[in-house]
mmCIF file of all heavy atoms in Angstrom:
data_model
loop_
_atom_site.group_PDB
_atom_site.id
_atom_site.type_symbol
_atom_site.label_atom_id
_atom_site.label_comp_id
_atom_site.label_asym_id
_atom_site.label_seq_id
_atom_site.Cartn_x
_atom_site.Cartn_y
_atom_site.Cartn_z
ATOM 1 N N GLU B 61 -9.539 14.902 0.692
ATOM 2 C CA GLU B 61 -10.242 14.016 1.461
ATOM 3 C C GLU B 61 -10.663 14.656 2.806
ATOM 4 O O GLU B 61 -11.508 14.041 3.456
ATOM 5 C CB GLU B 61 -9.421 12.812 1.698
ATOM 6 C CG GLU B 61 -9.661 11.696 0.688
ATOM 7 C CD GLU B 61 -9.093 10.306 1.183
ATOM 8 O OE1 GLU B 61 -8.105 10.296 1.774
ATOM 9 O OE2 GLU B 61 -9.920 9.328 1.086
ATOM 10 N N ALA B 62 -10.089 15.863 3.107
ATOM 11 C CA ALA B 62 -10.695 16.537 4.406
ATOM 12 C C ALA B 62 -12.078 16.747 4.314
ATOM 13 O O ALA B 62 -12.549 17.190 3.275
ATOM 14 C CB ALA B 62 -9.778 17.776 4.648
ATOM 15 N N ILE B 63 -12.678 16.474 5.401
ATOM 16 C CA ILE B 63 -14.122 16.799 5.489
ATOM 17 C C ILE B 63 -14.427 18.223 5.666
ATOM 18 O O ILE B 63 -13.720 18.939 6.483
ATOM 19 C CB ILE B 63 -14.818 15.909 6.565
ATOM 20 C CG1 ILE B 63 -14.513 14.400 6.422
ATOM 21 C CG2 ILE B 63 -16.345 16.203 6.557
ATOM 22 C CD1 ILE B 63 -14.945 13.780 4.988
ATOM 23 N N THR B 64 -15.497 18.815 5.034
ATOM 24 C CA THR B 64 -15.756 20.185 5.159
ATOM 25 C C THR B 64 -17.277 20.467 4.983
ATOM 26 O O THR B 64 -17.918 19.488 4.449
ATOM 27 C CB THR B 64 -14.941 20.993 4.284
ATOM 28 O OG1 THR B 64 -14.982 22.420 4.580
ATOM 29 C CG2 THR B 64 -15.498 20.913 2.718
ATOM 30 N N ALA B 65 -17.809 21.535 5.424
ATOM 31 C CA ALA B 65 -19.115 21.888 5.131
ATOM 32 C C ALA B 65 -19.180 22.897 4.043
ATOM 33 O O ALA B 65 -18.448 23.897 3.969
ATOM 34 C CB ALA B 65 -19.798 22.466 6.341
ATOM 35 N N GLY B 66 -20.009 22.698 3.040
ATOM 36 C CA GLY B 66 -20.085 23.622 1.954
ATOM 37 C C GLY B 66 -21.540 24.213 1.762
ATOM 38 O O GLY B 66 -22.479 23.425 1.975
ATOM 39 N N VAL B 67 -21.625 25.451 1.553
ATOM 40 C CA VAL B 67 -23.020 26.102 1.230
ATOM 41 C C VAL B 67 -22.900 26.569 -0.224
ATOM 42 O O VAL B 67 -21.866 27.261 -0.491
ATOM 43 C CB VAL B 67 -23.172 27.223 2.175
ATOM 44 C CG1 VAL B 67 -24.567 28.008 1.990
ATOM 45 C CG2 VAL B 67 -23.206 26.880 3.705
ATOM 46 N N LEU B 68 -23.792 26.159 -0.947
ATOM 47 C CA LEU B 68 -23.723 26.522 -2.459
ATOM 48 C C LEU B 68 -24.952 27.191 -2.806
ATOM 49 O O LEU B 68 -26.149 26.846 -2.386
ATOM 50 C CB LEU B 68 -23.674 25.192 -3.216
ATOM 51 C CG LEU B 68 -23.534 25.276 -4.720
ATOM 52 C CD1 LEU B 68 -22.525 24.340 -5.204
ATOM 53 C CD2 LEU B 68 -24.834 24.878 -5.335
ATOM 54 N N VAL B 69 -24.763 28.282 -3.574
ATOM 55 C CA VAL B 69 -25.853 29.042 -4.085
ATOM 56 C C VAL B 69 -25.688 29.258 -5.617
ATOM 57 O O VAL B 69 -24.662 29.454 -6.100
ATOM 58 C CB VAL B 69 -25.950 30.496 -3.353
ATOM 59 C CG1 VAL B 69 -26.939 31.536 -4.000
ATOM 60 C CG2 VAL B 69 -26.300 30.365 -2.024
ATOM 61 N N ARG B 70 -26.817 29.149 -6.267
ATOM 62 C CA ARG B 70 -26.724 29.384 -7.699
ATOM 63 C C ARG B 70 -27.175 30.759 -8.058
ATOM 64 O O ARG B 70 -28.148 31.378 -7.463
ATOM 65 C CB ARG B 70 -27.631 28.457 -8.478
ATOM 66 C CG ARG B 70 -27.302 27.961 -9.779
ATOM 67 C CD ARG B 70 -28.304 27.101 -10.326
ATOM 68 N NE ARG B 70 -28.178 27.165 -11.689
ATOM 69 C CZ ARG B 70 -27.165 26.494 -12.391
ATOM 70 N NH1 ARG B 70 -26.463 25.651 -11.703
ATOM 71 N NH2 ARG B 70 -27.051 26.575 -13.742
ATOM 72 N N ILE B 71 -26.409 31.422 -9.079
ATOM 73 C CA ILE B 71 -26.631 32.852 -9.360
ATOM 74 C C ILE B 71 -27.341 32.795 -10.789
ATOM 75 O O ILE B 71 -26.839 32.270 -11.730
ATOM 76 C CB ILE B 71 -25.335 33.574 -9.426
ATOM 77 C CG1 ILE B 71 -24.575 33.510 -8.213
ATOM 78 C CG2 ILE B 71 -25.606 35.004 -9.845
ATOM 79 C CD1 ILE B 71 -22.977 33.856 -8.339
ATOM 80 N N ASN B 72 -28.487 33.514 -10.954
ATOM 81 C CA ASN B 72 -29.143 33.718 -12.172
ATOM 82 C C ASN B 72 -29.305 35.157 -12.345
ATOM 83 O O ASN B 72 -29.111 36.018 -11.645
ATOM 84 C CB ASN B 72 -30.610 33.000 -12.176
ATOM 85 C CG ASN B 72 -30.496 31.584 -11.774
ATOM 86 O OD1 ASN B 72 -29.853 30.871 -12.382
ATOM 87 N ND2 ASN B 72 -31.225 31.190 -10.741
ATOM 88 N N GLY B 73 -29.793 35.389 -13.635
ATOM 89 C CA GLY B 73 -30.150 36.844 -13.929
ATOM 90 C C GLY B 73 -29.115 37.295 -15.032
ATOM 91 O O GLY B 73 -29.010 36.418 -15.926
ATOM 92 N N GLU B 74 -28.622 38.510 -14.977
ATOM 93 C CA GLU B 74 -27.780 38.873 -16.069
ATOM 94 C C GLU B 74 -26.336 38.195 -15.922
ATOM 95 O O GLU B 74 -25.641 38.165 -16.893
ATOM 96 C CB GLU B 74 -27.515 40.346 -15.944
ATOM 97 C CG GLU B 74 -28.821 41.176 -16.354
ATOM 98 C CD GLU B 74 -28.417 42.729 -16.302
ATOM 99 O OE1 GLU B 74 -28.568 43.317 -15.130
ATOM 100 O OE2 GLU B 74 -28.241 43.470 -17.234
ATOM 101 N N VAL B 75 -26.135 37.718 -14.817
ATOM 102 C CA VAL B 75 -24.988 36.870 -14.633
ATOM 103 C C VAL B 75 -25.458 35.471 -14.109
ATOM 104 O O VAL B 75 -26.136 35.248 -13.314
ATOM 105 C CB VAL B 75 -23.993 37.482 -13.611
ATOM 106 C CG1 VAL B 75 -22.985 36.525 -13.115
ATOM 107 C CG2 VAL B 75 -23.330 38.685 -14.318
ATOM 108 N N ASN B 76 -24.765 34.414 -14.789
ATOM 109 C CA ASN B 76 -25.145 32.978 -14.426
ATOM 110 C C ASN B 76 -23.821 32.398 -13.732
ATOM 111 O O ASN B 76 -22.656 32.466 -14.167
ATOM 112 C CB ASN B 76 -25.413 32.180 -15.489
ATOM 113 C CG ASN B 76 -26.891 32.457 -16.023
ATOM 114 O OD1 ASN B 76 -27.782 32.419 -15.263
ATOM 115 N ND2 ASN B 76 -26.983 32.861 -17.298
ATOM 116 N N GLY B 77 -24.056 31.769 -12.602
ATOM 117 C CA GLY B 77 -22.840 30.968 -12.050
ATOM 118 C C GLY B 77 -23.270 30.339 -10.704
ATOM 119 O O GLY B 77 -24.381 30.227 -10.467
ATOM 120 N N ILE B 78 -22.169 30.020 -9.983
ATOM 121 C CA ILE B 78 -22.343 29.362 -8.743
ATOM 122 C C ILE B 78 -21.397 30.070 -7.736
ATOM 123 O O ILE B 78 -20.357 30.411 -8.116
ATOM 124 C CB ILE B 78 -21.786 27.849 -8.848
ATOM 125 C CG1 ILE B 78 -23.007 27.023 -9.668
ATOM 126 C CG2 ILE B 78 -21.720 27.210 -7.600
ATOM 127 C CD1 ILE B 78 -22.617 25.671 -9.969
ATOM 128 N N MET B 79 -21.908 30.180 -6.516
ATOM 129 C CA MET B 79 -21.016 30.643 -5.433
ATOM 130 C C MET B 79 -21.021 29.630 -4.428
ATOM 131 O O MET B 79 -22.031 29.034 -4.027
ATOM 132 C CB MET B 79 -21.304 31.966 -4.956
ATOM 133 C CG MET B 79 -20.217 32.565 -4.157
ATOM 134 S SD MET B 79 -20.149 34.378 -4.273
ATOM 135 C CE MET B 79 -18.644 34.618 -3.312
ATOM 136 N N LEU B 80 -19.773 29.210 -3.930
ATOM 137 C CA LEU B 80 -19.656 28.247 -2.868
ATOM 138 C C LEU B 80 -18.917 28.629 -1.732
ATOM 139 O O LEU B 80 -17.830 29.447 -1.883
ATOM 140 C CB LEU B 80 -18.934 26.947 -3.508
ATOM 141 C CG LEU B 80 -18.607 25.925 -2.572
ATOM 142 C CD1 LEU B 80 -19.736 25.053 -2.188
ATOM 143 C CD2 LEU B 80 -17.673 24.777 -3.359
ATOM 144 N N ALA B 81 -19.322 28.545 -0.547
ATOM 145 C CA ALA B 81 -18.696 28.928 0.749
ATOM 146 C C ALA B 81 -18.177 27.670 1.399
ATOM 147 O O ALA B 81 -18.884 26.706 1.645
ATOM 148 C CB ALA B 81 -19.544 29.664 1.676
ATOM 149 N N VAL B 82 -16.800 27.480 1.580
ATOM 150 C CA VAL B 82 -16.218 26.382 2.214
ATOM 151 C C VAL B 82 -15.957 26.618 3.610
ATOM 152 O O VAL B 82 -15.278 27.557 3.977
ATOM 153 C CB VAL B 82 -14.951 26.074 1.425
ATOM 154 C CG1 VAL B 82 -14.257 24.707 2.073
ATOM 155 C CG2 VAL B 82 -15.229 25.703 0.070
ATOM 156 N N GLN B 83 -16.667 25.910 4.625
ATOM 157 C CA GLN B 83 -16.618 26.116 5.920
ATOM 158 C C GLN B 83 -15.842 25.030 6.618
ATOM 159 O O GLN B 83 -16.380 23.958 6.989
ATOM 160 C CB GLN B 83 -18.043 26.339 6.508
ATOM 161 C CG GLN B 83 -18.753 27.446 5.875
ATOM 162 C CD GLN B 83 -20.256 27.506 6.392
ATOM 163 O OE1 GLN B 83 -20.783 26.609 6.857
ATOM 164 N NE2 GLN B 83 -20.832 28.736 6.223
#
Side-chain angles (χ1 to χ4, degrees):
Chain B
E61 269 196 317
I63 304 302
T64 198
V67 178
L68 181 136
V69 169
R70 211 183 156 79
I71 307 161
N72 302 306
E74 288 182 282
V75 163
N76 285 304
I78 288 176
M79 192 148 187
L80 174 70
V82 180
Q83 302 178 334

